[in-house]
């Protein structure tokens, strides 16, 4: 069996047997969005106006919430040292971790999003575009989050620190994702936004595993 | 005949100088026991040998090639058993052991055989969260057996082991050496290995 | 252990010799710059005396970027060549850069009140500077988050390089976002035409800030080296 399959099977097994983690992320996502009508009032046009942005920001925060555990378990029980010392390239280990993180948080967020579109009265014409932005954007969250997760291993208050480090770096994703919905509403078409998001995904895919692997080696040294 | 050696090794851990001008040499079939008080740098030495850390000064070489020059090659020939047991409570014992064996590639003992050799074959289906400290330690040690690695780096392998298991471990290490392997073991206990050098650490400040 | 401090010792000697010159150059530039900025430069026909805030704001914003670049370069040197002094330089630069960034934000806000009628406008430039401020905060927080200083140094070096790669992307995206949401062009902070009389104080102030940075960073590096030496002595004391 290839190293990828071996790693992937282990990560998925661990994730499946601790699936309450995934559930909590989704619950946080929904609760965070549901707070907004209470905060700004239930006026449908207002909700429709802020809906895409609110949903994206909540998705960002929900993804951050689960991020610090990406390497934490392996770091604490000594598995991380052994993964660093295994003959398998550490970059591959990172990619598998990121993929698992996306499958257990990003993908459930996308599946839940339509429910929140309904509740926030988001116009139906922009549903497909918003789902596309989530599909392209959430992997970037997992990738950049992996850098933060690796850098904050062993830090005091790692979770809060991680958000402080990573959230500013995610501003471009937020801008282009929410902008895509607006672009469709104004009749401009969302092609440019989606292309830019896709570009960011490719760039992150090429660079972050390498950076994260480097940070992990530093963390166990 | 491979040679694993190091010389003039200085290491600063945190901000404390742990090792100064340490040296060792080891050939195929040989073992090295690391001794010294707590904090003398035994674990640090093993981590340096594994390539987890780099020495501040000095070199560690395998057949004359610095291990830092080709970490992948070095990883493929070593099995490191550290303080932490790296056992996932959510996986079964067999799943735990199989994963690391498959990750290391073929060449070592089968997972079930390794568990049996350390006397925990009957636990293989049990989720690892039910294991005692000694049992977890043994699961950790199976990794050396399944890896098929030439060089075993064992950090206090006898911690939490009873006398019978310690004997079993000693004969497993002996077998590994007889087949041309190498082992570096940090320990307070007397393992009774046939042929072993000793490196006593400490006194660096 | 001795060779470890050999280089820093040489640095300390050199630094002590250079510092007074930098301090003098800074004071001269500040004096001249402030004179031109406050008394001998024309009043802007649109902004009035408010334009004088620019002589602080613009150099501060330049320094904010300059310091981040300097940190990234120092971090790269520290990472690739394991140069201890480069790492200390990165650490010493961070709070200075953060202070310049903060100054740029505050002066921008002070300028905004009379110009825009409000303390804060989500202007593209100001927003980018705000994000840069967050990057500085993240660096300092990460650097300080570990019990072992070496780990904090290595982790934050990686972070500042990741941030450096991201700065142009953030800048681009914020500009994009700004044009999308404010199609009616608000009054720009610096129009394309700057009166020549305004350039003199601007460049003098920029030079003053630059000298100030170099002077302060040398002082801070020396201080940091002394702290390190104290720590080394403490450790020797602990190990008897």
């Amino acid at each position: 069996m290839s190293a990828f399959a071996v790693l992937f099977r282990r990560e998925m097994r661990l994730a499946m047997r601790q699936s309450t983690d995934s559930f909590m992320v989704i619950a946080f996502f929904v609760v965070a969005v549901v707070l907004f009508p209470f905060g700004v009032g239930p006026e449908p046009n207002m909700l429709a106006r802020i809906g895409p942005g609110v949903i994206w920001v909540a998705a960002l925060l929900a993804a951050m919430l689960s991020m610090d555990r990406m390497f934490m378990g392996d770091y604490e029980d000594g598995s991380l040292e052994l993964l660093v010392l295994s003959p398998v390239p550490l970059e591959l280990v990172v990619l598998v971790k990121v993929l698992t993180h996306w499958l257990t948080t990003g993908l459930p967020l996308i599946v839940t999003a339509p429910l929140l579109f309904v509740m926030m009265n988001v116009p139906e014409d922009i549903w497909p575009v918003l789902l596309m932005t989530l599909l392209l954007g959430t992997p970037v969250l997992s990738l950049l989050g992996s850098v933060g997760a690796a850098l904050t291993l062993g830090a005091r208050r790692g979770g809060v620190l991680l958000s402080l480090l990573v959230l500013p770096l995610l501003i471009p994703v937020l801008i282009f994702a929410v902008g895509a919905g607006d672009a469709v509403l104004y009749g401009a078409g969302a092609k440019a936004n989606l292309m830019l998001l896709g570009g960011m995904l490719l760039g992150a895919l090429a660079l972050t595993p390498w950076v994260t692997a480097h940070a992990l080696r530093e963390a166990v040294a | 005949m491979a040679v694993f050696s190091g010389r003039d090794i200085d290491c600063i851990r945190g901000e404390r100088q742990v090792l100064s001008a340490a040296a060792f040499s080891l050939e195929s079939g040989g073992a090295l026991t690391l001794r010294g008080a707590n904090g003398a740098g035994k674990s640090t030495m093993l981590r340096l040998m594994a390539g987890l850390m780099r020495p501040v000064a000095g070199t560690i070489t395998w057949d004359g090639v610095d291990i830092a020059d080709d970490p992948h090659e070095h990883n493929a020939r070593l099995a490191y058993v550290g303080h932490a047991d790296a056992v996932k409570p959510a996986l079964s014992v067999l799943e735990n052991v199989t994963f690391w064996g498959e990750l290391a590639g073929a060449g070592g003992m089968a997972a079930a055989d390794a568990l049996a050799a350390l006397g925990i074959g009957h636990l293989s289906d049990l989720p690892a969260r039910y294991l005692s400290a000694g049992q977890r330690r043994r699961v950790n040690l199976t990794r050396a057996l399944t890896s098929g690695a030439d060089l075993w780096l064992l950090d206090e392998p006898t911690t939490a082991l009873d006398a019978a298991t310690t004997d079993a471990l000693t004969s497993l290490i002996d077998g590994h050496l007889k087949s041309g392997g190498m082992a570096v073991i940090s320990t307070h206990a007397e393992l009774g290995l046939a042929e072993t050098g000793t490196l006593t650490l400490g006194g660096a400040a | 252990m001795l060779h470890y401090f050999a280089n820093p010792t040489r640095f300390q000697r050199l630094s002590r010799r250079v510092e007074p010159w930098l301090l003098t150059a800074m004071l001269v530039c500040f004096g001249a710059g402030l004179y031109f900025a406050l008394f001998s430069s024309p009043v802007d026909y649109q902004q009035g005396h408010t334009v004088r805030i620019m002589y602080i704001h613009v150099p501060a914003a330049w320094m904010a970027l300059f310091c981040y670049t300097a940190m990234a370069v120092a971090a790269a040197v520290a990472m690739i060549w394991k140069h201890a002094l480069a790492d200390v330089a990165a650490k010493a630069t961070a709070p200075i850069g953060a202070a310049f960034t903060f100054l740029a934000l505050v002066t921008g806000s002070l300028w905004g009140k009379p110009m825009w009628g409000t303390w804060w406008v989500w202007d593209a430039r100001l927003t980018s500077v705000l994000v840069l401020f967050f990057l500085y905060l993240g660096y300092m927080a990460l650097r300080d988050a570990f019990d072992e200083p070496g780990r904090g140094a290595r982790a934050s070096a990686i972070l500042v390089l990741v941030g450096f790669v991201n700065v142009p992307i953030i800048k681009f995206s914020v500009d994009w976002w700004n044009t999308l949401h404010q199609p009616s062009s608000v009054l720009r902070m610096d129009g394309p035409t700057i009166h020549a009389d305004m350039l003199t104080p601007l460049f003098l102030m920029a030079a003053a800030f630059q000298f100030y940075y170099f002077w302060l960073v040398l002082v801070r590096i020396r201080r940091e080296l002394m702290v390190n030496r104290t720590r080394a002595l403490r450790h020797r004391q602990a190990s008897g």
Side-chain angles (χ1 to χ4, degrees):
Chain A
M1 206 184 318
S2 73
F4 177 84
V6 171
L7 284 163
F8 184 67
R9 201 181 49 184
R10 170 196 191 239
E11 292 301 326
M12 282 314 281
R13 257 188 199 145
L14 284 172
M16 287 301 149
R17 289 177 199 178
Q18 290 152 2
S19 51
T20 45
D21 291 4
S22 239
F23 173 77
M24 284 195 325
V25 170
I26 301 309
F28 174 86
F29 180 46
V30 173
V31 171
V33 172
V34 165
L35 284 180
F36 276 84
F38 295 108
V40 300
E43 205 261 305
N45 285 333
M46 157 83 91
L47 291 184
R49 177 73 200 87
I50 64 170
V54 166
I55 290 169
W56 246 102
V57 170
L60 219 64
L61 296 177
M64 281 307 113
L65 210 63
S66 59
M67 206 66 79
D68 65 323
R69 279 197 314 279
M70 193 185 276
F71 304 109
M72 191 58 92
D74 284 338
Y75 177 75
E76 281 172 349
D77 72 9
S79 302
L80 190 59
E81 296 181 348
L82 300 172
L83 288 170
V84 169
L85 288 178
S86 83
V88 175
L90 195 54
E91 288 78 4
L92 181 68
V93 177
V94 171
L95 269 178
V96 172
K97 289 261 181 199
V98 168
L99 178 63
T100 325
H101 179 266
W102 183 75
L103 287 174
T104 53
T105 58
L107 196 58
L109 288 180
I110 297 173
V111 173
T112 324
L115 171 72
L116 296 172
F117 292 165
V118 174
M119 294 174 80
M120 293 297 283
N121 198 29
V122 174
E124 275 172 44
D125 339 351
I126 64 170
W127 283 26
V129 172
L130 285 181
L131 286 175
M132 265 310 276
T133 63
L134 283 167
L135 200 61
L136 290 169
T138 47
V140 181
L141 309 188
S142 298
L143 285 163
L144 273 173
S146 78
V147 177
L151 288 177
T152 52
L153 280 176
R156 296 185 296 265
R157 286 174 220 259
V160 183
L161 183 58
L162 178 106
S163 302
L164 176 62
L165 303 186
V166 177
L167 285 175
L169 301 180
L170 291 175
I171 289 173
V173 176
L174 184 63
I175 288 175
F176 293 124
V178 178
D182 289 344
V184 170
L185 283 183
Y186 298 147
K191 197 173 164 209
N193 291 61
L194 292 177
M195 298 273 270
L196 283 164
L197 278 175
M200 282 181 198
L201 175 55
L202 289 179
L205 201 56
L207 292 177
T208 52
W210 181 71
V211 177
T212 306
H214 186 78
L216 288 178
R217 283 194 197 95
E218 295 287 4
V220 298
Chain B
M1 196 70 161
V3 180
F4 181 49
S5 65
R7 58 190 168 78
D8 303 329
I9 299 165
D10 286 359
C11 184
I12 295 172
R13 188 93 178 108
E15 291 174 277
R16 205 169 62 87
Q17 181 148 19
V18 183
L19 296 171
S20 76
F24 69 92
S25 183
L26 197 59
E27 291 187 349
S28 296
L32 184 66
T33 308
L34 301 180
R35 294 193 178 280
N38 285 338
K42 299 190 294 294
S43 296
T44 304
M45 193 68 191
L46 283 167
R47 295 172 71 83
L48 288 168
M49 288 174 172
L52 275 174
M53 298 166 61
R54 301 272 164 82
V56 174
T59 51
I60 299 175
T61 58
W62 182 277
D63 282 342
V65 181
D66 196 324
I67 59 167
D69 290 347
D70 197 349
H72 278 292
E73 192 74 11
H74 192 59
N75 286 352
R77 63 181 164 239
L78 75 86
Y80 171 79
V81 176
H83 277 294
D85 285 324
V87 173
K88 290 284 173 205
L91 300 181
S92 80
V93 170
L94 191 64
E95 283 168 344
N96 265 298
V97 177
T98 309
F99 166 71
W100 293 106
E102 284 176 344
L103 203 63
M109 213 183 264
D113 296 344
L115 285 169
L118 282 162
I120 45 172
H122 59 290
L123 299 177
S124 59
D125 289 334
L126 199 68
R129 70 167 57 87
Y130 299 109
L131 298 186
S132 70
Q135 289 165 333
R136 273 208 308 275
R137 192 71 193 155
R138 284 190 260 178
V139 171
N140 189 6
L141 284 165
T142 55
R143 252 195 302 270
L145 303 177
T146 57
S147 67
D150 289 335
L151 174 63
W152 288 7
L153 302 170
L154 312 179
D155 199 353
E156 303 281 1
T158 56
T159 310
L161 292 189
D162 54 31
T165 319
T166 306
D167 289 345
L169 178 64
T170 306
S171 65
L172 285 167
I173 296 173
D174 262 330
H176 172 64
L177 299 178
K178 287 214 176 68
S179 63
M182 296 179 199
V184 182
I185 305 144
S186 82
T187 181
H188 290 294
E190 200 58 59
L191 277 177
L193 288 169
E195 236 179 287
T196 174
T198 302
L199 176 64
T200 305
L201 300 170
Chain C
M1 205 65 192
L2 248 180
H3 71 277
Y4 205 76
F5 288 114
N7 213 356
T9 312
R10 215 176 312 143
F11 168 83
Q12 302 233 14
R13 260 210 317 273
L14 194 70
S15 153
R16 270 208 201 89
R17 209 168 303 161
V18 177
E19 275 165 27
W21 294 100
L22 287 173
L23 193 61
T24 315
M26 175 193 101
L27 290 174
V28 169
C29 285
F30 256 129
L34 283 176
Y35 170 74
F36 280 107
L38 297 182
F39 304 109
S40 169
S41 67
V43 169
D44 188 87
Y45 77 96
Q46 238 178 340
Q47 307 178 22
H49 283 293
T50 314
V51 73
R52 303 193 195 281
I53 295 176
M54 288 297 105
Y55 302 126
I56 301 287
H57 173 81
V58 173
W62 284 347
M63 289 309 293
L65 271 178
F66 173 82
C67 287
Y68 203 80
T69 312
M71 261 164 63
V73 171
V77 171
M79 213 150 83
I80 298 166
W81 290 288
K82 309 268 173 228
H83 203 298
L85 209 54
D87 172 58
V88 176
K91 183 182 182 183
T93 300
I96 308 177
F100 277 127
T101 316
F102 187 68
L103 185 63
L105 287 173
V106 170
T107 49
S109 171
L110 288 177
W111 183 85
K113 185 60 181 168
M115 285 300 107
W116 295 324
T118 168
W119 294 111
W120 184 263
V121 164
W122 289 92
D123 163 80
R125 279 158 201 275
L126 269 182
T127 310
S128 299
V129 173
L130 181 65
V131 178
L132 188 62
F133 186 60
F134 293 149
L135 295 184
Y136 274 112
L137 290 187
Y139 174 87
M140 291 191 287
L142 182 65
R143 174 119 207 174
D144 200 40
F146 296 92
D147 293 325
E148 192 213 322
R151 167 97 175 90
R154 293 189 302 265
S156 53
I158 299 174
L159 179 73
V160 76
L161 289 175
V162 171
F164 190 64
V165 172
N166 267 284
V167 164
I169 303 176
I170 293 171
K171 178 86 180 89
F172 169 71
S173 67
V174 169
D175 285 347
W176 173 293
W177 164 80
N178 194 249
T179 50
L180 194 75
H181 289 270
Q182 286 178 307
S184 57
S185 166
V186 288
L187 191 59
R188 290 278 160 211
M189 278 215 172
D190 46 351
T193 49
I194 293 180
H195 199 276
D197 291 344
M198 294 180 176
L199 283 177
T200 317
L202 190 60
F203 284 128
L204 276 171
M205 289 303 284
F209 276 32
Q210 197 70 244
F211 284 126
Y212 173 71
Y213 165 75
F214 282 115
W215 171 71
L216 192 58
V217 86
L218 286 181
V219 172
R220 287 185 58 88
I221 290 175
R222 274 204 300 125
R223 175 187 163 277
E224 199 62 38
L225 291 174
M226 274 184 246
V227 169
N228 283 351
R229 192 178 295 184
T230 318
R231 221 163 26 206
L233 288 173
R234 286 260 161 77
H235 277 289
R236 202 172 304 166
Q237 206 177 352
S239 54

